[in-house]
Amino acid sequence: MADNSDLVGHKVFFVGADAGLIPDVFLEDLIIYGIESYRIHETSTKAMLQKLELTAQLFPPSVFFFYIDLPLEGLQWSELILKFLKNHQAESHIGIMYTRRSMENERLAIERLYNAMKIDCGFIPLNLRRAQNFPFILQHLDSCGVRGQRKHIRVQCGPSSTATFFIREAGRRIPATMMDFSMNHFSCIINEDIMPPYDTYEDVLIQANGLRFRTDCKKIMERDSEVGKLFVFVFLQKDGTTGLEDDTRFKVQSKIYELSTEETKNMQQEAFSEFLKRKRDGISMEALCTQAVQEVRLNKDKQQSSVSHP
């Protein structure tokens, strides 16, 4: 396997993998490790090829794992991957997924074929029992150098997001404005004059981005900011362990995945819509994809400009 030490922060796309093979929970679990991952799967071969090309042009550089045991109508996976490498090898990294073979010669034949194409992210043989595959996928991504830029992905809170600290012994509740949160911590703005000087706080109500849950927490930092006193807390379980209780953790994990991948999914959908608007005879799919991607990027630049200069 090639040295892929430059893959930190790259998006990962599982091509040809449906929810039965790579379920949502796998994608959400990968976000815990800072890895953004997505599926590219369509029932139509043509639609899948279009979305693959759009994605490769929208998000270079990225990592693509192709599941070669999905039947493709009118096309062989080896042909598809060879063409993809020809067009995108400079900015993409390629790996292969397949259902684990019982015959060693079959496995060797697969790996010999794709190694000849000089793929650089190796092979992931999958078990029939889906639950067994996640740790193996995670281990393989790590061995390839695919890691998050941050240990914990942090998402920004909406303007109405709040944290309420219940100080039982004083019969007080202290309101705060939530700024961001991750699987490990949250930050908020609090009036410094009313915050008691505790290290740990029990029973904090978090209401952010559609989430509502209660947790304990421990203060790890406070500092002045332009909008007030900024406090950073780590989540605590009832036994004092760092982190969220299991029932809460799953909800927060799902929300973090939703929020952190929303922009990418929206751009993919917008590009596909633009592609379909432009679709006509006599123009190659790749050229149409380029036009669609240029339009999406132009629209995004306009939106960012309007936010920066209202």
Side-chain angles (χ1 to χ4, degrees):
M1 192 182 300
D3 177 14
N4 289 330
S5 57
D6 62 336
L7 299 188
V8 174
H10 283 33
K11 301 179 193 298
V12 176
F13 296 93
F14 297 106
V15 184
D18 62 12
L21 185 73
I22 304 290
D24 289 346
V25 69
F26 281 17
L27 306 179
E28 292 171 5
D29 284 347
L30 285 172
I31 212 74
I32 297 175
Y33 300 91
I35 300 172
E36 272 189 58
S37 57
Y38 307 83
R39 290 187 301 263
I40 299 178
H41 180 271
E42 295 289 333
T43 54
S44 158
T45 298
K46 184 178 292 186
M48 189 166 69
L49 292 176
Q50 292 162 356
K51 287 196 173 180
L52 173 61
E53 179 64 26
L54 287 165
T55 300
Q57 291 196 31
L58 271 173
F59 306 112
S62 293
V63 182
F64 295 86
F65 280 92
F66 293 86
Y67 178 60
I68 62 169
D69 283 334
L70 175 75
L72 282 180
E73 183 180 352
L75 190 62
Q76 296 293 320
W77 277 106
S78 56
E79 298 172 15
L80 185 159
I81 293 169
L82 195 60
K83 182 177 181 181
F84 186 84
L85 283 166
K86 180 180 178 181
N87 293 336
H88 300 290
Q89 190 168 31
E91 72 277 6
S92 298
H93 299 268
I94 311 298
I96 304 297
M97 298 189 302
Y98 60 88
T99 303
R100 190 179 296 275
R101 302 302 200 258
S102 58
M103 303 296 291
E104 180 71 2
N105 62 327
E106 293 182 13
R107 179 189 68 81
L108 291 173
I110 290 171
E111 298 190 1
R112 191 180 304 116
L113 172 63
Y114 290 101
N115 275 328
M117 298 181 189
K118 301 190 184 307
I119 65 163
D120 59 351
C121 284
F123 301 88
I124 305 180
L126 300 172
N127 295 303
L128 293 177
R129 292 187 178 182
R130 187 178 67 182
Q132 298 176 351
N133 290 322
F134 179 78
F136 188 60
I137 290 171
L138 179 61
Q139 180 183 23
H140 186 82
L141 292 178
D142 185 67
S143 69
C144 288
V146 179
R147 301 178 184 87
Q149 288 181 315
R150 303 173 64 97
K151 184 176 180 180
H152 300 285
I153 286 185
R154 183 177 62 188
V155 296
Q156 301 299 311
C157 293
S160 60
S161 298
T162 62
T164 305
F165 294 77
F166 294 92
I167 313 299
R168 302 296 183 187
E169 62 272 22
R172 300 165 58 196
R173 62 172 62 187
I174 298 175
T177 300
M178 286 281 290
M179 302 302 290
D180 59 48
F181 64 94
S182 72
M183 291 296 296
N184 184 65
H185 80 275
F186 69 96
S187 67
C188 57
I189 299 293
I190 306 176
N191 184 332
E192 62 179 306
D193 296 329
I194 64 173
M195 195 64 182
Y198 303 156
D199 287 329
T200 60
Y201 296 82
E202 296 181 355
D203 195 15
V204 182
L205 174 63
I206 305 292
Q207 299 181 94
N209 301 81
L211 280 171
R212 178 186 171 92
F213 63 93
R214 300 180 99 101
T215 184
D216 296 347
C217 64
K218 179 179 180 179
K219 183 176 70 175
I220 58 172
M221 191 188 78
E222 64 176 277
R223 63 176 175 83
D224 293 324
S225 74
E226 294 180 356
V227 291
K229 194 77 168 181
L230 177 71
F231 290 78
V232 180
F233 301 89
V234 293
F235 295 119
L236 290 180
Q237 299 179 30
K238 291 301 181 184
D239 64 1
T241 304
T242 300
L244 293 161
E245 302 287 351
D246 283 349
D247 57 342
T248 301
R249 179 170 60 85
F250 294 131
K251 292 193 299 184
V252 174
Q253 178 178 309
S254 180
K255 178 59 71 171
I256 288 175
Y257 179 76
E258 174 192 328
L259 295 173
S260 61
T261 60
E262 183 178 30
E263 182 179 2
T264 294
K265 290 178 178 179
N266 287 343
M267 288 180 68
Q268 283 180 300
Q269 189 55 51
E270 183 183 354
F272 192 54
S273 297
E274 289 291 340
F275 173 86
L276 294 177
K277 288 179 189 176
R278 290 167 166 73
K279 194 173 180 181
R280 61 182 67 88
D281 294 335
I283 302 180
S284 71
M285 180 192 73
E286 291 80 6
L288 289 170
C289 286
T290 299
Q291 293 176 13
V293 167
Q294 288 173 344
E295 183 65 23
V296 169
R297 287 179 174 158
L298 180 62
N299 291 339
K300 185 179 180 182
D301 289 343
K302 288 179 180 178
Q303 291 171 0
Q304 291 176 338
S305 177
S306 65
V307 171
S308 302
H309 305 90

